[in-house]
Amino acid sequence: MRKKKTAVIFSLLFLLLAGSLLAGLLLGSADFRPEDLWDGLFGTKKNPSVSLIVLDLRLPRVIGALFAGGGLAVAGLLLQTATNNDLCSPNVIGVNAGAGFAVMLLLCLFPMAYPFLPAAAFAGAMCTTMTVLGLSFSKRQIYARTTVILAGVAVAALFNAGISFLSQLYPEALSSYASFSAGGFSGEDKEDLPWPCAMILIGILCAWLLSSRLNLLCLGDELAQSLGVRVRLVRFLSLVLSSLLCAAVVSYAGLLGFAGLIVPHIARRLLGQDIRILVPFCAFAGGLLVILSDLAARTLFAPSELPAGILMAGLGAPFFLYLLIRRKKDGV
Amino acid sequence: MITCRNITLNKSGKTILNKVNFTAQPGEITVLMGKNGSGKTSLLRCISGAYPKFDGEVLFNKQNFSCLSALQKSQIIGIMPQTLPQPAVTVEQLVSFGRRPYTGYSGRLSSLDKEKIQYAMEKTGIVQHQQDLVCHLSGGERQIAFFAMLLAQETPVVLLDEPTANLDAPYRQRVFAFLQDLQKAGKTVITTLHSLEDAVQIGSRIWVMDNGKMIFQGTAEEFITGGQPEKTFGLRPVRVFTEEEGSFTVFRPL
């Protein structure tokens, strides 16, 4: 019965994903019909403008959104499982603040160094999360759940203060930083994608390999350990993988938020708690959510477009409040 | 057979366990007793490996436990902590976690694993709840579900910390029946209990701890007649006979 339900949900997800991928390629400031797309790309009436719009502009966006959503959703799932806190999301361990600070610093010190923004964002995100993990390390309780979250909040507050400070000193860097912090896929270059996407793919595969052990963390450290799980190692690996996934996404998509919060929740509601099933679901459903957000961001007010990150925040913030209210009702 | 030699545990400059020595035999239920804070739970945690750093040795059939991997240990010792979690997984999933030490990296269950899971659920009588979430079960049902997981784990040594705390009389009797089944199956069972009546009812051997030291090891009879209840717990044993239940011992304040 449960297997049948899982199969139906995954089939629906793949159908929706295929539809959204196609819509992502067809819709925008200039809409195409499917046959125009086929003819323009492969048929007898090859059209260079179709090829330019679809292959050079929309395909990188759609692929970027697919991987970004998948990466963030799996990162959120890993974090929520490792910290046993369903309100946890990648922002909480300071990824966005760290990446944002590194980008702001680069823009202030080397205003012409645009090509290095993705590298700076990645380095900032990784350094911050490693600092958070370092602060959470204690001999008695390694990577304790609350300590990781509190250290993340403290470090994020510090970096946000740093960003505000830099923006006072270098107001000219603020406009470039604003587009990065809003998050989105406008002007996504296909040259920027291979490395982050490869990293995201590897991260998701590693998360899936870890999933049978992660399943047991819901029993608490003592019981999980008695069932052969090296709890500290699994928790450490989850946090590192989560940081890696987020850093890879931030490096090309900017500070997208909330996919890591919303998708794991929906996944748990639909499919239960088995992380082995939740990892692939989150990978595809996260991609679907971000593709649809990006599609809405560029079609709702076409020909002008909103950053996808703003739409995601518009969806995510009410969802976060809904979770808080539900927890209050459940007495959690 | 589990042997502990000179187990000493210090935490924050305080001695929690002080040179504890014992051997627990297979086919016996060893009941560990003592006042709150006497070191019972810490001793169980040292045996199970939850506390990695302590002085002394834990041996399983003369094999040093510290030389074994976490996975190897999980095939030898199964535990039931005092406070059970309330995970949002089904009872069937929970019991399947008991097979984790045998499923390899992928966590894929073989047909043999599935048979053992089904057997554990039937044996403990939790099978009718197999699709219910553990977090929605009552305290007693949850305890039984965790017993089923422990049964599916099939370890020769079973450690239980207050398995009957907060349970009503029928559930307590069910838990004791499971312990006796484990005993008959030749497993080494070590459990902490607070109730002296329960301890002398089911314990093959009774150990008493005080201030981190093992102050008594003997049979239930030796425990009753040796003056331990009076000395350590301030209780005196009273032999009671009823036609329904026969002869048993209760403990009354001095």
Side-chain angles (χ1 to χ4, degrees), chain A residues 124-204:
Chain A
M126 281 307 283
C127 287
T128 313
T129 45
M130 288 302 121
T131 311
V132 169
L133 293 187
L135 288 171
S136 322
F137 183 96
S138 79
K139 276 185 182 173
R140 289 177 67 186
Q141 240 189 333
I142 294 175
Y143 311 120
R145 299 189 294 236
T146 345
T147 325
V148 171
I149 294 169
L150 290 177
V153 169
V155 169
L158 193 70
F159 279 124
N160 283 328
I163 291 169
S164 303
F165 176 70
L166 286 175
S167 65
Q168 293 293 318
L169 286 184
Y170 300 90
E172 65 280 5
L174 208 57
S175 63
S176 310
Y177 174 74
S179 67
F180 170 81
S181 68
F185 304 92
S186 176
E188 197 63 70
D189 190 342
K190 60 185 171 188
E191 304 296 323
D192 292 341
L193 289 178
W195 278 108
C197 289
M199 249 190 290
I200 291 168
L201 198 63
I202 292 168
I204 292 173

Side-chain angles (χ1 to χ4, degrees), chain A residues 212-213 219 222 225-226 273 276, chain B residues 45 49 74 85 88 105 107 153:
Chain A
S212 73
R213 285 154 176 76
L219 298 179
E222 195 177 355
Q225 193 174 318
S226 81
Q273 299 287 332
R276 288 171 303 174
Chain B
R45 285 184 172 164
S74 68
Y105 207 89
Q153 199 180 344

Side-chain angles (χ1 to χ4, degrees), chain A residues 267-283:
Chain A
R268 285 198 170 99
R269 283 246 148 169
L270 291 174
L271 293 165
Q273 299 287 332
D274 192 342
I275 312 287
R276 288 171 303 174
I277 297 170
L278 294 182
V279 168
F281 182 88
C282 283

Side-chain angles (χ1 to χ4, degrees), chain B:
Chain B
M1 182 172 72
I2 280 275
T3 305
C4 286
R5 285 192 197 143
N6 290 323
I7 302 280
T8 301
L9 176 72
N10 294 301
K11 269 206 260 178
S12 315
K14 197 182 162 202
T15 302
I16 310 292
L17 296 173
N18 191 357
K19 293 187 178 170
V20 176
N21 290 285
F22 65 81
T23 298
Q25 300 289 348
E28 285 188 353
I29 298 174
T30 305
V31 180
L32 190 52
M33 304 201 68
K35 291 178 192 163
N36 286 337
S38 58
K40 305 183 295 290
T41 301
S42 298
L43 181 59
L44 289 189
R45 285 184 172 164
C46 287
I47 302 171
S48 71
Y51 286 152
K53 287 187 178 171
F54 58 88
D55 294 327
E57 286 179 328
V58 178
L59 306 170
F60 173 70
N61 291 343
K62 295 179 182 170
Q63 190 176 19
N64 196 327
F65 235 58
S66 60
C67 305
L68 301 178
S69 69
L71 199 64
Q72 286 170 318
K73 283 180 193 170
S74 68
Q75 293 171 356
I76 295 172
I77 290 186
I79 66 159
M80 185 180 289
Q82 187 173 353
T83 312
L84 293 175
Q86 303 188 30
V89 297
T90 63
V91 169
E92 189 182 13
Q93 264 177 297
L94 178 78
V95 180
S96 75
F97 290 161
R99 299 303 298 166
R100 164 71 188 76
Y102 310 98
T103 52
Y105 207 89
S106 68
R108 214 179 170 81
L109 296 167
S110 67
S111 53
L112 181 69
D113 292 322
K114 286 175 187 164
E115 272 174 33
K116 299 204 177 211
I117 292 162
Q118 191 63 27
Y119 171 78
M121 287 192 295
E122 281 167 11
K123 178 87 181 161
T124 50
I126 197 78
V127 76
Q128 72 273 23
H129 291 294
Q130 61 178 309
Q131 292 307 322
D132 294 344
L133 293 179
V134 176
C135 55
H136 292 165
L137 298 178
S138 71
E141 288 164 345
R142 197 163 71 242
Q143 193 92 19
I144 303 297
F146 276 90
F147 250 107
M149 186 184 86
L150 202 57
L151 206 59
Q153 199 180 344
E154 286 194 320
T155 51
V157 180
V158 178
L159 308 179
L160 307 105
D161 196 0
E162 290 291 338
T164 55
N166 307 318
L167 292 187
D168 61 16
Y171 273 114
R172 257 199 358 245
Q173 290 310 317
R174 272 177 84 179
V175 168
F176 290 154
F178 293 142
L179 293 184
Q180 279 157 347
D181 285 346
L182 293 174
Q183 179 189 17
K184 282 179 203 151
K187 294 179 191 283
T188 307
V189 181
I190 305 177
T191 178
T192 66
L193 287 177
H194 266 302
S195 159
L196 271 61
E197 283 88 354
D198 292 344
V200 296
Q201 182 196 336
I202 64 151
S204 323
R205 303 188 73 76
I206 292 178
W207 300 341
V208 181
M209 293 191 70
D210 191 30
N211 275 330
K213 285 185 181 168
M214 190 71 83
I215 56 167
F216 173 82
Q217 295 185 40
T219 61
E221 201 51 44
E222 287 164 351
F223 172 73
I224 295 167
T225 55
Q228 272 308 315
E230 292 88 343
K231 272 189 259 173
T232 313
F233 302 98
L235 297 169
R236 68 186 165 86
V238 179
R239 204 81 178 159
V240 178
F241 179 83
T242 64
E243 280 188 8
E244 296 84 30
E245 296 176 70
S247 170
F248 58 94
T249 307
V250 294
F251 293 85
R252 293 283 173 263
L254 285 173

Side-chain angles (χ1 to χ4, degrees), chain A residues 22 26 32-43 45 50:
Chain A
L22 193 64
L26 293 175
F32 300 113
R33 287 174 300 167
E35 55 269 30
D36 295 337
L37 181 71
W38 182 260
D39 277 343
L41 293 178
F42 313 107
K45 294 178 277 178
V50 173

